[in-house]
Amino acid sequence: MEQETMTQHDPADGRLTPERERQLIAAAQGGCAHSAHELISSHQQRLYAFIWRMVRNNHDAEELCQEAFLRAFQAIDTFDSNYRFSTWLFTIGYRLCLNAMRKQKSQDLDVDFGTFAQGDAPGSDAPESIADAVVNSDEASRLKDIIWNSVDQLSPPQRATVLLFYRESLSCQQIGEVLEIPAATVKSHLHRARAQLKRLLSGELIEDWSVVRAGAQAG
Amino acid sequence: MSVTCRHVRQLHDAYIDRELPAGLTAEVHAHLLQCPACQQQVEMVRACGGVIASDRSEPQLDAGFTARIAAAVAARTAAMPLKLLGKPVETRRERRLRLMRSFAKTSIPAIAAMMFFAILIKPSAEVVVPATAVKGVTVEQAGVKGVVAPTLSALNETRQAVADFNQFVEFAASDAANGASRAMGRSADAGEQPPTTTGPSLLDFLLPTFDEMLRPSNGAATPVEEDADLIRL
């Protein structure tokens, strides 16, 4: 059974295959708690990471993630199997994030840096290659901080576009379905986000980029 | 034609996303090999994408999260009314249309009913109230005397005028009879012309009568006017 379950996931990141996802959704629509449990467990960390990157608060991210799952399963009977379940979840999660950010707009943004770069301390894991050593170096760690801080300065649609494009490997069409905007607007968001990242990062990181590039070439 | 840095910067995104045609990709690639600045820009964007895609520094959910969500889903689904189960998720446009329809269904009859009742209970044209009522004095409050006294006075005057007229008719008739007899006796005696009348003429009688009728009454007018003032309150 375990072997069968493992074969139903993409080997790369443990995501469900479309076929397995359809089976689980059909079972969940029939009231199967085990299928709902498996759907939740296979999507929860990705959805939580996306929401956390949007709101940057542990407590709020967990609350919004839970609410997104609840809303999704409340309307599971109306789910269109032509779409991916993750697309639907991210759509709900994105809307919840926007609502939460609007509510907190007047308040000071409480960025939770306490858990940022958790487990990324140099030497925490034994480097397996030169490239990993470079990535886990002090320069790379500082670079990651600066990159994520730059991502945080993007507008919510631009940030969501960047996250879904790079983290979830969604196409512009799929991102448009999640954000409920045209694909051309998604491309515009992506272009502007990259331009802003280049502008924010180009001034001070010449040495760090050189290190990363040299490490990548060596790897 | 060799591409310039400005051209390549415009093609960075498409080059990174591998959306350029093969020929243009080769030209951009050739430019990047000889231009460190453009190469660094492209590498920077690629490195950003790589960090965003691969960095997993977000906090991890605890082990009990899945069980809590599953329990919450089961509890909320059980608490939902049966009619809500399977209810399709509305888009914003569908929700707006549904609210507009329900508003039209309920509000239009209500507005029509309100307009009907408003027309129904609207007061008609202003009633013209007699002066006596406007001033708050009715006939009873003014007293019967005030109404009747002028009437009796008019009746007395009329009666007096009728009596005067009867007296005038009787006098005129006797005067005519006397004149006629005298004329007949004279012509019978000597055949002379009849003489002019020596008694009071009709005009002599009418003038004082009309003077009397046109003269304003003094003695009886005082109480009448006083009574009339009661009505004119």
Side-chain angles (χ1 to χ4, degrees):
Chain A
M1 181 66 186
E2 184 66 23
Q3 183 68 26
E4 183 185 349
T5 304
M6 290 303 291
T7 57
Q8 302 291 343
H9 290 72
D10 285 339
D13 54 1
R15 298 180 186 182
L16 293 172
T17 61
E19 182 63 26
R20 176 64 178 161
E21 189 176 283
R22 275 194 289 272
Q23 292 173 359
L24 290 175
I25 289 170
Q29 287 173 339
C32 177
H34 178 72
S35 300
H37 194 281
E38 188 173 345
L39 279 172
I40 294 169
S41 63
S42 60
H43 289 91
Q44 63 182 14
Q45 188 57 43
R46 290 164 55 204
L47 180 63
Y48 177 73
F50 172 73
I51 292 175
W52 187 84
R53 288 290 177 195
M54 292 295 291
V55 300
R56 299 304 298 268
N57 181 284
N58 290 352
H59 180 71
D60 290 348
E62 192 169 332
E63 290 282 331
L64 294 173
C65 186
Q66 178 172 337
E67 185 63 26
F69 276 114
L70 287 175
R71 292 193 183 191
F73 279 98
Q74 271 184 350
I76 190 72
D77 291 339
T78 64
F79 175 71
D80 186 355
S81 58
N82 292 324
Y83 296 94
R84 294 300 301 266
F85 187 67
S86 58
T87 303
W88 198 36
L89 269 180
F90 280 108
T91 301
I92 298 171
Y94 177 68
R95 288 186 196 164
L96 291 172
C97 286
L98 288 184
N99 290 337
M101 285 189 285
R102 285 193 193 109
K103 285 180 184 174
Q104 291 183 349
K105 196 174 181 180
S106 59
Q107 303 173 1
D108 291 333
L109 190 62
D110 183 18
V111 180
D112 188 1
F113 287 108
T115 55
F116 190 74
Q118 188 177 17
D120 286 339
S124 59
D125 294 322
E128 298 176 354
S129 65
I130 298 174
D132 289 336
V134 172
V135 169
N136 292 327
S137 64
D138 288 340
E139 291 82 1
S141 179
R142 192 166 74 92
L143 187 61
K144 281 196 293 185
D145 289 352
I146 294 172
I147 288 173
W148 282 120
N149 287 337
S150 302
V151 170
D152 289 341
Q153 294 180 41
L154 300 174
S155 69
Q158 289 176 353
R159 203 184 320 163
T161 300
V162 166
L163 291 172
L164 293 172
F165 185 81
Y166 289 114
R167 298 291 292 264
E168 299 300 322
S169 303
L170 297 184
S171 65
C172 290
Q173 182 67 34
Q174 290 171 321
I175 295 172
E177 290 169 2
V178 171
L179 306 186
E180 296 178 317
I181 54 178
T185 309
V186 173
K187 287 193 81 67
S188 174
H189 282 322
L190 192 60
H191 177 74
R192 290 180 183 179
R194 282 170 168 166
Q196 188 168 348
L197 286 175
K198 278 192 281 190
R199 184 174 55 81
L200 291 169
L201 298 171
S202 60
E204 52 183 324
L205 297 171
I206 300 299
E207 297 82 8
D208 291 340
W209 290 118
S210 304
V211 170
V212 171
R213 201 164 60 245
Q217 288 171 353
Chain B
M1 187 187 80
S2 61
V3 293
T4 63
C5 290
R6 189 166 61 88
H7 292 145
V8 169
R9 269 188 230 113
Q10 293 174 351
L11 299 173
H12 275 178
D13 285 359
Y15 175 76
I16 292 168
D17 296 336
R18 298 178 182 178
E19 294 174 347
L20 290 178
L24 204 50
T25 301
E27 285 193 38
V28 172
H29 191 67
H31 176 82
L32 291 176
L33 287 176
Q34 60 183 357
C35 180
C38 287
Q39 191 177 359
Q40 186 179 7
Q41 293 263 320
V42 171
E43 289 298 328
M44 187 189 301
V45 174
R46 279 182 171 162
C48 280
V51 168
I52 293 169
S54 61
D55 183 45
R56 292 291 184 267
S57 58
E58 301 92 5
Q60 298 291 313
L61 287 167
D62 60 277
F65 182 81
T66 309
R68 286 201 306 275
I69 295 291
V73 167
R76 189 177 285 194
T77 307
M80 281 173 62
L82 286 176
K83 63 180 182 180
L84 291 180
L85 288 174
K87 188 178 179 182
V89 178
E90 288 180 319
T91 62
R92 291 177 186 171
R93 185 171 181 274
E94 289 170 345
R95 188 182 308 125
R96 188 166 59 245
L97 288 174
R98 180 175 59 80
L99 290 175
M100 287 175 65
R101 278 195 213 102
S102 63
F103 177 75
K105 278 183 185 175
T106 56
S107 63
I108 289 178
I111 292 172
M114 287 172 61
M115 292 177 65
F116 173 74
F117 282 112
I119 294 171
L120 199 64
I121 64 176
K122 182 184 176 183
S124 57
E126 190 176 353
V127 178
V128 178
V129 181
T132 53
V134 169
K135 294 192 174 182
V137 178
T138 60
V139 173
E140 289 79 13
Q141 288 171 333
V144 177
K145 180 185 172 186
V147 177
V148 174
T151 308
L152 292 176
S153 173
L155 285 173
N156 289 332
E157 289 180 359
T158 306
R159 185 181 299 160
Q160 184 62 38
V162 169
D164 293 343
F165 182 73
N166 290 335
Q167 188 179 1
F168 159 70
V169 170
E170 288 173 2
F171 185 81
S174 62
D175 191 24
N178 292 333
S181 61
R182 281 197 298 272
M184 288 174 66
R186 193 175 302 124
S187 60
D189 290 343
E192 294 176 358
Q193 290 296 324
T196 58
T197 55
T198 56
S201 66
L202 181 60
L203 193 60
D204 294 336
F205 178 76
L206 286 177
L207 284 177
T209 303
F210 282 119
D211 287 341
E212 183 67 24
M213 291 175 69
L214 293 174
R215 187 184 306 133
S217 58
N218 294 326
T222 304
V224 171
E225 290 203 352
E226 286 176 357
D227 293 339
D229 287 339
L230 289 175
I231 297 175
R232 277 192 238 108
L233 280 175

